[in-house]
Structure formats: C-alpha cells, structure tokens
Amino acid sequence: MTKSNGENPQKTQVKVSLMGGHRLDGATLYERTVTASLIGGADVDLTAVDIPDGAELRITKLSLIGGVRLRVRRDVRVEVHGLRLGGVRDDGPDEPGGPTVRVDAWGLIGGVSVVRV
C-alpha cells in the first residue's frame, strides 16, 4: 500500500472495466482506490498489508451488478457505506481504535462480504 505523508497529497487509484471485476491486493493499493465496472465485482485482499493504527484506507466500488469481497486481518475495523441491493456480512471488531478500511459500495445488485483471517 502506498502511503502519503503530510507533504504529499493522497493519491487515488482508479480501475475501470465494462465487464469483469477487479482483483486488488495490498501491494498495488493506494490509500484511496476507486474501482468501477458495469458488471463485475471487486476482490480485495488486505491480509498482507500493515495498516497503522488510526489510519484509514478507503475503497469505492461503483457497479451495476457486482459486490465486494474483502479479506482483512482480525484487528481491522471495516465500515461499509453506500447504496446497493445486497447485505453486508461482517463479524469484525466494533471497538474504536486500530486501522480502518472504509468501503463505499454503490450499485444495484451486490453485497459486501468481509472475510477475516
């Protein structure tokens, strides 16, 4: 994951496709990532990423059909926002502190599934 310091503005990575989803992992993610597709989900693996306590990683998913499958460590808080038909499946920590991944999922069909390892 590419980090920004106080001197450099945060970079935003944008991935676009008409059909087919995106596979993202920690080595290729910026602090802000936008993935957009007409049909296709996003498979995001952050298990190997060392996100510092108090830091926030933001992923925005735009699609007509397609959800998000997110893999994170057990101590990472996940916040899900947006509008979509489909639920959110997550049994993660609710206590404050620690790193946070914010998922903004906008779409017609597709949920957000969080897998903790």
Side-chain angles (χ1 to χ4, degrees), residues 11-54:
K11 294 182 179 181
T12 300
Q13 175 186 33
V14 178
K15 300 221 174 222
V16 178
S17 69
L18 290 177
M19 296 185 72
H22 297 109
R23 184 168 301 213
L24 307 167
D25 61 21
T28 61
L29 279 178
Y30 290 101
E31 288 175 330
R32 294 182 182 174
T33 299
V34 176
T35 173
S37 58
L38 187 61
I39 299 173
D43 185 13
V44 183
D45 186 356
L46 300 177
T47 55
V49 178
D50 183 27
I51 306 170
D53 283 353

Side-chain angles (χ1 to χ4, degrees), residues 64-84:
L64 189 60
I65 299 172
V68 177
R69 182 169 189 244
L70 177 65
R71 282 186 294 282
V72 294
R73 296 185 326 259
R74 294 205 176 274
D75 63 331
V76 174
R77 289 179 33 124
V78 177
E79 297 177 1
V80 179
H81 302 273
L83 179 66
R84 73 220 157 272

Side-chain angles (χ1 to χ4, degrees), residues 95-111:
E95 57 273 353
T100 301
V101 174
R102 178 181 170 137
V103 178
D104 295 313
W106 301 92
L108 186 58
I109 299 173

